[in-house]
Short mmCIF file of all heavy atoms in Angstrom, two decimals:
data_model
loop_
_atom_site.label_atom_id
_atom_site.label_comp_id
_atom_site.label_asym_id
_atom_site.label_seq_id
_atom_site.Cartn_x
_atom_site.Cartn_y
_atom_site.Cartn_z
N VAL A 147 -39.99 36.90 -52.09
CA VAL A 147 -41.13 37.31 -52.93
C VAL A 147 -40.70 37.38 -54.39
O VAL A 147 -41.37 36.85 -55.29
CB VAL A 147 -41.69 38.67 -52.47
CG1 VAL A 147 -42.73 39.17 -53.48
CG2 VAL A 147 -42.33 38.55 -51.09
N ILE A 148 -39.56 38.02 -54.64
CA ILE A 148 -39.08 38.17 -56.01
C ILE A 148 -38.71 36.81 -56.61
O ILE A 148 -39.09 36.49 -57.74
CB ILE A 148 -37.87 39.13 -56.05
CG1 ILE A 148 -38.33 40.53 -55.64
CG2 ILE A 148 -37.25 39.17 -57.44
CD1 ILE A 148 -37.22 41.49 -55.32
N LEU A 149 -38.00 35.99 -55.83
CA LEU A 149 -37.62 34.67 -56.32
C LEU A 149 -38.84 33.78 -56.60
O LEU A 149 -38.82 32.96 -57.52
CB LEU A 149 -36.70 33.97 -55.31
CG LEU A 149 -35.21 34.28 -55.40
CD1 LEU A 149 -34.46 33.60 -54.27
CD2 LEU A 149 -34.65 33.87 -56.75
N SER A 150 -39.88 33.96 -55.81
CA SER A 150 -41.07 33.13 -56.01
C SER A 150 -41.71 33.39 -57.37
O SER A 150 -42.31 32.49 -57.97
CB SER A 150 -42.09 33.38 -54.89
OG SER A 150 -42.73 34.63 -55.03
N TYR A 151 -41.59 34.63 -57.87
CA TYR A 151 -42.12 34.94 -59.20
C TYR A 151 -41.16 34.48 -60.29
O TYR A 151 -41.57 34.03 -61.36
CB TYR A 151 -42.40 36.43 -59.33
CG TYR A 151 -43.71 36.85 -58.71
CD1 TYR A 151 -43.77 37.28 -57.38
CD2 TYR A 151 -44.89 36.83 -59.45
CE1 TYR A 151 -44.98 37.65 -56.81
CE2 TYR A 151 -46.10 37.20 -58.88
CZ TYR A 151 -46.14 37.62 -57.56
OH TYR A 151 -47.34 37.98 -57.00
N LEU A 152 -39.85 34.61 -60.03
CA LEU A 152 -38.86 34.22 -61.03
C LEU A 152 -38.78 32.71 -61.21
O LEU A 152 -38.54 32.21 -62.31
CB LEU A 152 -37.47 34.75 -60.64
CG LEU A 152 -37.27 36.27 -60.70
CD1 LEU A 152 -35.89 36.63 -60.19
CD2 LEU A 152 -37.47 36.79 -62.12
N THR A 153 -38.99 31.96 -60.12
CA THR A 153 -38.81 30.51 -60.17
C THR A 153 -40.10 29.74 -59.89
O THR A 153 -40.07 28.53 -59.72
CB THR A 153 -37.76 30.07 -59.12
OG1 THR A 153 -38.29 30.32 -57.79
CG2 THR A 153 -36.46 30.83 -59.29
N GLY A 154 -41.22 30.44 -59.85
CA GLY A 154 -42.48 29.86 -59.39
C GLY A 154 -43.13 28.87 -60.32
O GLY A 154 -42.55 28.46 -61.34
N PRO A 155 -44.35 28.47 -60.01
CA PRO A 155 -45.04 27.38 -60.71
C PRO A 155 -45.57 27.73 -62.10
O PRO A 155 -46.00 26.84 -62.83
CB PRO A 155 -46.20 27.05 -59.76
CG PRO A 155 -46.47 28.33 -59.06
CD PRO A 155 -45.13 28.98 -58.87
N ILE A 156 -45.55 29.01 -62.47
CA ILE A 156 -46.05 29.40 -63.79
C ILE A 156 -44.90 29.30 -64.79
O ILE A 156 -43.90 30.01 -64.67
CB ILE A 156 -46.63 30.82 -63.80
CG1 ILE A 156 -47.74 30.95 -62.75
CG2 ILE A 156 -47.17 31.17 -65.18
CD1 ILE A 156 -48.32 32.34 -62.64
N SER A 157 -45.02 28.44 -65.78
CA SER A 157 -43.95 28.23 -66.75
C SER A 157 -43.76 29.44 -67.64
O SER A 157 -44.66 30.27 -67.79
CB SER A 157 -44.24 27.00 -67.61
OG SER A 157 -45.33 27.28 -68.48
N GLN A 158 -42.57 29.53 -68.23
CA GLN A 158 -42.25 30.66 -69.11
C GLN A 158 -43.21 30.74 -70.28
O GLN A 158 -43.60 31.82 -70.72
CB GLN A 158 -40.80 30.52 -69.61
CG GLN A 158 -40.20 31.79 -70.17
CD GLN A 158 -40.03 32.89 -69.12
OE1 GLN A 158 -39.69 32.61 -67.98
NE2 GLN A 158 -40.28 34.12 -69.50
N ASP A 159 -43.63 29.58 -70.81
CA ASP A 159 -44.54 29.57 -71.96
C ASP A 159 -45.92 30.12 -71.60
O ASP A 159 -46.58 30.77 -72.42
CB ASP A 159 -44.70 28.13 -72.48
CG ASP A 159 -43.43 27.61 -73.12
OD1 ASP A 159 -42.61 28.45 -73.54
OD2 ASP A 159 -43.26 26.39 -73.21
N ILE A 160 -46.36 29.86 -70.37
CA ILE A 160 -47.69 30.28 -69.94
C ILE A 160 -47.70 31.74 -69.50
O ILE A 160 -48.73 32.42 -69.60
CB ILE A 160 -48.19 29.38 -68.79
CG1 ILE A 160 -48.33 27.93 -69.26
CG2 ILE A 160 -49.52 29.87 -68.23
CD1 ILE A 160 -49.35 27.72 -70.34
N LYS A 161 -46.57 32.24 -69.03
CA LYS A 161 -46.52 33.60 -68.47
C LYS A 161 -47.08 34.65 -69.42
O LYS A 161 -47.82 35.54 -69.00
CB LYS A 161 -45.08 33.96 -68.11
CG LYS A 161 -44.56 33.33 -66.85
CD LYS A 161 -43.11 33.70 -66.61
CE LYS A 161 -42.54 32.98 -65.40
NZ LYS A 161 -41.11 33.28 -65.19
N LYS A 162 -46.72 34.55 -70.70
CA LYS A 162 -47.14 35.60 -71.63
C LYS A 162 -48.66 35.65 -71.78
O LYS A 162 -49.25 36.73 -71.90
CB LYS A 162 -46.47 35.43 -72.99
CG LYS A 162 -46.66 34.08 -73.64
CD LYS A 162 -45.84 34.00 -74.92
CE LYS A 162 -45.93 32.61 -75.54
NZ LYS A 162 -45.10 32.52 -76.77
N TYR A 163 -49.31 34.47 -71.77
CA TYR A 163 -50.77 34.46 -71.85
C TYR A 163 -51.39 34.92 -70.54
O TYR A 163 -52.39 35.64 -70.54
CB TYR A 163 -51.25 33.04 -72.17
CG TYR A 163 -50.63 32.44 -73.41
CD1 TYR A 163 -49.97 31.22 -73.35
CD2 TYR A 163 -50.69 33.10 -74.63
CE1 TYR A 163 -49.40 30.66 -74.49
CE2 TYR A 163 -50.12 32.56 -75.77
CZ TYR A 163 -49.47 31.34 -75.69
OH TYR A 163 -48.90 30.81 -76.81
N HIS A 164 -50.79 34.49 -69.45
CA HIS A 164 -51.28 34.84 -68.11
C HIS A 164 -51.29 36.35 -67.93
O HIS A 164 -52.29 36.94 -67.48
CB HIS A 164 -50.37 34.17 -67.07
CG HIS A 164 -50.82 34.35 -65.66
ND1 HIS A 164 -51.83 33.61 -65.09
CD2 HIS A 164 -50.38 35.20 -64.68
CE1 HIS A 164 -52.00 33.97 -63.84
NE2 HIS A 164 -51.14 34.93 -63.57
N HIS A 165 -50.18 37.00 -68.26
CA HIS A 165 -50.08 38.44 -68.05
C HIS A 165 -50.82 39.25 -69.13
O HIS A 165 -51.37 40.31 -68.84
CB HIS A 165 -48.61 38.85 -67.99
CG HIS A 165 -47.89 38.30 -66.81
ND1 HIS A 165 -48.27 38.59 -65.51
CD2 HIS A 165 -46.83 37.46 -66.70
CE1 HIS A 165 -47.47 37.95 -64.67
NE2 HIS A 165 -46.60 37.26 -65.35
N ALA A 166 -50.83 38.74 -70.35
CA ALA A 166 -51.55 39.44 -71.41
C ALA A 166 -53.04 39.52 -71.10
O ALA A 166 -53.69 40.55 -71.34
CB ALA A 166 -51.33 38.74 -72.75
N LEU A 167 -53.57 38.45 -70.55
CA LEU A 167 -55.00 38.41 -70.24
C LEU A 167 -55.39 39.45 -69.20
O LEU A 167 -56.37 40.19 -69.37
CB LEU A 167 -55.39 37.01 -69.75
CG LEU A 167 -56.87 36.79 -69.46
CD1 LEU A 167 -57.70 36.91 -70.74
CD2 LEU A 167 -57.10 35.42 -68.82
N ILE A 168 -54.62 39.54 -68.12
CA ILE A 168 -54.97 40.50 -67.07
C ILE A 168 -54.74 41.94 -67.53
O ILE A 168 -55.47 42.85 -67.14
CB ILE A 168 -54.19 40.20 -65.76
CG1 ILE A 168 -54.78 41.00 -64.59
CG2 ILE A 168 -52.72 40.51 -65.92
CD1 ILE A 168 -56.21 40.68 -64.27
N GLN A 169 -53.76 42.14 -68.41
CA GLN A 169 -53.54 43.49 -68.94
C GLN A 169 -54.73 43.95 -69.78
O GLN A 169 -55.16 45.10 -69.70
CB GLN A 169 -52.25 43.52 -69.76
CG GLN A 169 -50.99 43.46 -68.91
CD GLN A 169 -49.73 43.26 -69.72
OE1 GLN A 169 -49.77 43.07 -70.94
NE2 GLN A 169 -48.59 43.28 -69.06
N LYS A 170 -55.27 43.03 -70.57
CA LYS A 170 -56.46 43.36 -71.36
C LYS A 170 -57.65 43.63 -70.45
O LYS A 170 -58.42 44.56 -70.68
CB LYS A 170 -56.80 42.20 -72.31
CG LYS A 170 -55.94 42.13 -73.56
CD LYS A 170 -56.21 43.30 -74.48
CE LYS A 170 -55.43 43.16 -75.77
NZ LYS A 170 -55.63 44.34 -76.66
N GLU A 171 -57.79 42.84 -69.41
CA GLU A 171 -58.91 43.02 -68.48
C GLU A 171 -58.79 44.34 -67.75
O GLU A 171 -59.79 45.04 -67.53
CB GLU A 171 -58.97 41.86 -67.49
CG GLU A 171 -60.03 42.01 -66.40
CD GLU A 171 -61.45 42.13 -66.94
OE1 GLU A 171 -61.73 41.65 -68.05
OE2 GLU A 171 -62.29 42.72 -66.22
N LEU A 172 -57.58 44.73 -67.37
CA LEU A 172 -57.39 46.00 -66.68
C LEU A 172 -57.68 47.19 -67.59
O LEU A 172 -58.15 48.23 -67.13
CB LEU A 172 -55.95 46.09 -66.16
CG LEU A 172 -55.62 45.19 -64.96
CD1 LEU A 172 -54.11 45.18 -64.70
CD2 LEU A 172 -56.37 45.62 -63.72
N SER A 173 -57.42 47.04 -68.88
CA SER A 173 -57.68 48.13 -69.83
C SER A 173 -59.15 48.23 -70.19
O SER A 173 -59.64 49.29 -70.56
CB SER A 173 -56.84 47.95 -71.10
OG SER A 173 -57.24 46.80 -71.81
N GLU A 174 -59.86 47.10 -70.09
CA GLU A 174 -61.30 47.06 -70.37
C GLU A 174 -61.99 46.28 -69.26
O GLU A 174 -62.42 45.15 -69.45
CB GLU A 174 -61.56 46.41 -71.73
CG GLU A 174 -60.87 47.09 -72.90
CD GLU A 174 -61.02 46.32 -74.20
OE1 GLU A 174 -61.78 45.31 -74.21
OE2 GLU A 174 -60.40 46.71 -75.19
N PRO A 175 -62.13 46.88 -68.07
CA PRO A 175 -62.61 46.12 -66.89
C PRO A 175 -64.02 45.56 -67.08
O PRO A 175 -64.90 46.20 -67.66
CB PRO A 175 -62.60 47.18 -65.78
CG PRO A 175 -61.67 48.25 -66.25
CD PRO A 175 -61.81 48.28 -67.75
N SER A 176 -64.19 44.35 -66.58
CA SER A 176 -65.50 43.69 -66.57
C SER A 176 -65.67 43.05 -65.19
O SER A 176 -64.85 43.25 -64.29
CB SER A 176 -65.56 42.64 -67.67
OG SER A 176 -64.75 41.52 -67.33
N GLU A 177 -66.70 42.24 -65.04
CA GLU A 177 -66.90 41.58 -63.76
C GLU A 177 -65.81 40.54 -63.48
O GLU A 177 -65.65 40.10 -62.34
CB GLU A 177 -68.28 40.92 -63.70
CG GLU A 177 -68.54 39.86 -64.74
CD GLU A 177 -69.99 39.43 -64.76
OE1 GLU A 177 -70.35 38.49 -64.02
OE2 GLU A 177 -70.78 40.05 -65.52
N ALA A 178 -65.04 40.19 -64.50
CA ALA A 178 -63.91 39.29 -64.28
C ALA A 178 -62.89 39.92 -63.34
O ALA A 178 -62.24 39.22 -62.56
CB ALA A 178 -63.24 38.93 -65.60
N LEU A 179 -62.76 41.24 -63.40
CA LEU A 179 -61.80 41.92 -62.54
C LEU A 179 -62.20 41.78 -61.07
O LEU A 179 -61.32 41.65 -60.20
CB LEU A 179 -61.71 43.41 -62.92
CG LEU A 179 -60.65 44.23 -62.18
CD1 LEU A 179 -59.26 43.62 -62.35
CD2 LEU A 179 -60.66 45.67 -62.66
N ASP A 180 -63.49 41.80 -60.80
CA ASP A 180 -63.96 41.59 -59.43
C ASP A 180 -63.55 40.21 -58.93
O ASP A 180 -63.16 40.05 -57.76
CB ASP A 180 -65.48 41.74 -59.36
CG ASP A 180 -65.94 43.16 -59.66
OD1 ASP A 180 -65.17 44.10 -59.38
OD2 ASP A 180 -67.06 43.33 -60.17
N LEU A 181 -63.64 39.21 -59.80
CA LEU A 181 -63.22 37.85 -59.44
C LEU A 181 -61.73 37.82 -59.11
O LEU A 181 -61.30 37.22 -58.13
CB LEU A 181 -63.50 36.89 -60.59
CG LEU A 181 -64.89 36.30 -60.74
CD1 LEU A 181 -64.95 35.45 -62.00
CD2 LEU A 181 -65.26 35.47 -59.53
N VAL A 182 -60.95 38.47 -59.96
CA VAL A 182 -59.50 38.48 -59.79
C VAL A 182 -59.12 39.18 -58.49
O VAL A 182 -58.27 38.71 -57.73
CB VAL A 182 -58.81 39.17 -60.99
CG1 VAL A 182 -57.34 39.42 -60.71
CG2 VAL A 182 -58.97 38.32 -62.24
N LEU A 183 -59.76 40.31 -58.23
CA LEU A 183 -59.47 41.05 -56.99
C LEU A 183 -59.83 40.23 -55.77
O LEU A 183 -59.04 40.12 -54.81
CB LEU A 183 -60.23 42.38 -56.99
CG LEU A 183 -59.72 43.46 -57.95
CD1 LEU A 183 -60.71 44.62 -58.00
CD2 LEU A 183 -58.35 43.95 -57.53
N GLN A 184 -61.01 39.64 -55.79
CA GLN A 184 -61.51 38.90 -54.63
C GLN A 184 -60.72 37.62 -54.37
O GLN A 184 -60.39 37.30 -53.22
CB GLN A 184 -62.99 38.57 -54.85
CG GLN A 184 -63.60 37.75 -53.72
CD GLN A 184 -65.02 37.31 -54.03
OE1 GLN A 184 -65.60 37.69 -55.04
NE2 GLN A 184 -65.58 36.50 -53.17
N LYS A 185 -60.40 36.88 -55.44
CA LYS A 185 -59.85 35.54 -55.26
C LYS A 185 -58.35 35.43 -55.48
O LYS A 185 -57.76 34.39 -55.14
CB LYS A 185 -60.57 34.57 -56.19
CG LYS A 185 -62.06 34.43 -55.89
CD LYS A 185 -62.68 33.31 -56.71
CE LYS A 185 -64.15 33.11 -56.35
NZ LYS A 185 -64.75 31.96 -57.08
N ALA A 186 -57.73 36.47 -56.04
CA ALA A 186 -56.30 36.36 -56.33
C ALA A 186 -55.49 37.52 -55.76
O ALA A 186 -54.59 37.32 -54.95
CB ALA A 186 -56.09 36.27 -57.85
N ILE A 187 -55.80 38.74 -56.18
CA ILE A 187 -54.98 39.89 -55.80
C ILE A 187 -55.09 40.21 -54.32
O ILE A 187 -54.08 40.36 -53.62
CB ILE A 187 -55.33 41.12 -56.66
CG1 ILE A 187 -54.98 40.83 -58.13
CG2 ILE A 187 -54.58 42.35 -56.16
CD1 ILE A 187 -55.35 41.94 -59.08
N CYS A 188 -56.32 40.30 -53.82
CA CYS A 188 -56.50 40.64 -52.40
C CYS A 188 -55.91 39.58 -51.46
O CYS A 188 -55.26 39.95 -50.47
CB CYS A 188 -57.98 40.88 -52.09
SG CYS A 188 -58.58 42.45 -52.75
#
């Protein structure tokens, strides 16, 4: 599990945008969070 995140398909350049976006969404939840929960996190 840990190695899959360290070596996975998301490039280092994209990671910062990927994680920054969800952090902003978590701090100001919208219906996008429902999409993320349903289709990604769950």
Side-chain angles (χ1 to χ4, degrees):
V147 171
I148 295 166
L149 274 176
S150 73
Y151 280 92
L152 291 176
T153 66
I156 304 177
S157 70
Q158 198 65 38
D159 291 338
I160 297 297
K161 284 177 184 178
K162 55 185 176 182
Y163 305 125
H164 185 79
H165 294 300
L167 183 65
I168 193 62
Q169 287 170 355
K170 281 292 185 183
E171 175 60 25
L172 288 170
S173 66
E174 302 173 7
S176 72
E177 60 190 271
L179 185 57
D180 294 330
L181 277 176
V182 170
L183 288 171
Q184 178 187 354
K185 297 188 176 184
I187 295 177
C188 287

